[in-house]
Amino acid sequence: MGGAQLELPSGARPGVCVRRSFRAHAGDQPRRPPGPIPVPGTMKQESAAPNSPPPSQSPTPSAQFPRKDGDPQALWIFGYGSLVWRPDFAYSDSRVGFVRGYSRRFWQGDTFHRGSDKMPGRVVTLLEDHDGCTWGVAYQVQGEQVSKALKYLNVREAVLGGYDTKEVTFYPQDAPDQPLKALAYVATPQNPGYLGPAPEEAIATQILACRGFSGHNLEYLLRLADFMQLCGPQAQDEHLAAIVDAVGTMLPCFCPTEQALALV
């Protein structure tokens, strides 16, 4: 096949060779959000964040959440899936970091963004896990940005995605001793789109076969994997890595020619 190969950073698992030409056909192109985008400098690779939870005497996380009389004046929103590369709402600040007590899993079905009613795609949710750690991006919205962001995300994540909101404690990569309260969108087993666990190979097969209004399901997987590489070696996600490995093994058979790729 023609086309340049996707070069994996050093330390990446062997066997994953996904061609850039597939990215061009796999879904939407990168779009600049209306607000400032995450600055690569915040994704520091030279200073690893601790792998153990911060000590119990850490400062109380600070954030403002919706009051009874309306929206807050400021709010942090934690993204761990497509929000890490495409928030699509205006925000004042963004920080790369992680939440403790949760693991990321491709257990939520998607019949709109990355799949259809007949062929649901697989997207991520958070699973409560005492030893878990999930990396992502927290966005701060202020003033008029708050209501606009919440209104947009209610449609994107709740109405179309099946997600509920949950308060989490976010630890910025550059200041893990200064945690923040943040709002996260989590798909629980109670929502009708929940697919639950499956072997990574089965998840990879489903991802390769599905696409929705936001693009191909494979694009979703690859962009998330790219983000984790930027976070540095301290950011581990074995579930994600196993699915990427499985895709790398299956892709040559699934899409053997450039002509087949163009049809996806």
Side-chain angles (χ1 to χ4, degrees):
M1 290 189 295
Q5 291 184 345
L6 169 64
E7 297 180 1
L8 293 178
S10 60
R13 295 191 176 197
V16 181
C17 182
V18 181
R19 297 186 184 276
R20 291 193 184 276
S21 56
F22 186 85
R23 290 177 182 267
H25 299 290
D28 51 356
Q29 297 301 311
R31 289 182 284 177
R32 182 179 296 276
I37 62 174
V39 179
T42 62
M43 302 179 182
K44 297 181 180 179
Q45 298 191 34
E46 62 273 356
S47 58
N51 282 321
S52 57
S56 57
Q57 63 267 26
S58 295
T60 302
S62 60
Q64 297 183 42
F65 280 85
R67 305 183 302 263
K68 294 182 180 180
D69 58 346
D71 294 326
Q73 291 301 308
L75 177 70
W76 286 92
I77 299 170
F78 176 65
Y80 56 93
S82 61
L83 287 179
V84 304
W85 72 84
R86 204 195 80 188
D88 273 0
F89 57 85
Y91 55 90
S92 302
D93 191 14
S94 64
R95 306 181 74 176
V96 173
F98 54 89
V99 298
R100 291 287 183 188
Y102 297 92
S103 291
R104 178 169 33 218
R105 292 290 184 269
F106 276 80
W107 288 3
Q108 174 66 3
D110 188 340
T111 60
F112 184 83
H113 297 292
R114 301 292 174 171
S116 64
D117 290 333
K118 293 183 178 180
M119 299 182 67
R122 284 262 184 176
V123 291
V124 294
T125 184
L126 293 180
L127 174 70
E128 290 191 10
D129 178 1
H130 180 268
D131 299 320
C133 177
T134 298
W135 283 76
V137 179
Y139 301 95
Q140 186 184 48
V141 288
Q142 297 178 320
E144 295 181 354
Q145 295 176 341
V146 176
S147 60
K148 292 180 180 180
L150 293 178
K151 182 179 180 180
Y152 167 72
L153 291 172
N154 179 62
V155 174
R156 170 174 166 173
E157 303 295 335
V159 176
L160 298 177
Y163 289 74
D164 292 326
T165 55
K166 188 179 186 68
E167 180 182 316
V168 296
T169 301
F170 174 78
Y171 299 91
Q173 182 182 30
D174 56 355
D177 58 338
Q178 299 175 23
L180 305 165
K181 286 170 60 179
L183 190 70
Y185 288 81
V186 180
T188 67
Q190 288 70 42
N191 86 84
Y194 193 78
L195 297 178
E200 278 79 8
E201 293 78 8
I203 294 176
T205 300
Q206 188 170 352
I207 287 174
L208 282 169
C210 295
R211 69 177 300 131
F213 287 101
S214 294
H216 201 284
N217 206 173
L218 178 59
E219 184 216 14
Y220 179 99
L221 173 72
L222 295 179
R223 288 190 184 276
L224 191 53
D226 286 347
F227 166 77
M228 289 295 290
Q229 293 287 352
L230 289 173
C231 289
Q234 76 278 6
Q236 301 294 323
D237 190 328
E238 294 183 359
H239 176 70
L240 173 63
I243 297 172
V244 172
D245 278 356
V247 164
T249 301
M250 299 175 184
L251 190 57
C253 297
F254 196 88
C255 298
T257 68
E258 291 291 341
Q259 183 179 3
L261 291 177
L263 296 176
V264 177

